[in-house]
Amino acid sequence: MSPAAAVRSDAPRLLCVGSTVVDVNIQGLERFPVPDVEFTQASDVAHEQPVRVLLGGTAANTAMVYAALTGRCDLGGVIGADPFGDFLASGLADHGVAVLGERAGSTATHTIALGVDGRRQAYWYAGPPLDPGPLLAAWNPGHVYLSGINLCFQRPLTDAACAFGRAARAAGARAVLDIGQGGPGALDFHEISEIGAEMDLLIGSRAEFAAALGCEYAERRDGLRERFSGPVVVKLGAGGSLLDPGPGQELRRVTGFQVEANNPIGAGDSFAGGLLSAWLAGADLETACRRGNAAGAISVRSPGGPQDVTKAAVDRLEREG
């Protein structure tokens, strides 16, 4: 595994809170299996690339990338007292990520298969829920980023999420919410609005905002703007990102970087790590989005995704792109 970057003395301290898992990653499938009671030619699918076991989870991915770009990051997520937990704890430490809290239970896993045509199948074990109380007590408040909280917080989750935001802002720091992940348990519009009251920035993918708003972001932007006046960033994948600076201001498209896709899993988390590394250090949001686009592109073109992102690679892509 790649070591973390040297710690910058001026790097703002960040706590990433949320999903922390082991990713079991299968890539390059020509087809997907057809379920059967016995192994058959249809149900037993061979793949040429070996399975990769990767550090993962939305919050952990962002923490690794932020640490790669600044030298350090804190993480609030559940790591089990099991061999997968040993793998996570050791790997995250190697990447400059310090995990707050005690290890307990079984580690969450995300088994995902990717087809050559872009389709995917996934199997999710959520693991034990994250108890925000001890984490809040152990944290020396500073900047905080919440991601994938619907995957690890028990509902109702708005009070806990707002508590992190209030603590950060009371300390003169910034609070950021990534509204993902999608799916049946995704944050709804009411939850996003309520948590947003204690946030300085909202981030989400195009699909996640469309699911929450019922249409494309630009079409129902005003509905969210009645509840949240801060900046919003919409991740557009290979298309870069869309920046909404605030109510009444024009949307700005920040162009992405064209790279050969290798592993798309965690690219949006890498984007967030890149954006936060620039924005929390004082860059304007448009510049920060460009940094995020570069980090996401490096993640996509790397077999290991977020854990392969390095400062040197992101710097080089920004210079050359």
Side-chain angles (χ1 to χ4, degrees), residues 26 28-33 112-121:
I26 306 169
L29 294 183
E30 296 288 342
R31 62 182 179 86
F32 287 95
I112 187 163
L114 299 171
V116 294
D117 59 359
R119 291 184 301 156
R120 66 189 202 177
Q121 290 184 347

Side-chain angles (χ1 to χ4, degrees), residues 13 22 131 173 217 246 252 278 296:
R13 194 89 192 196
V22 169
D131 184 352
Y217 179 80
R252 304 177 198 168

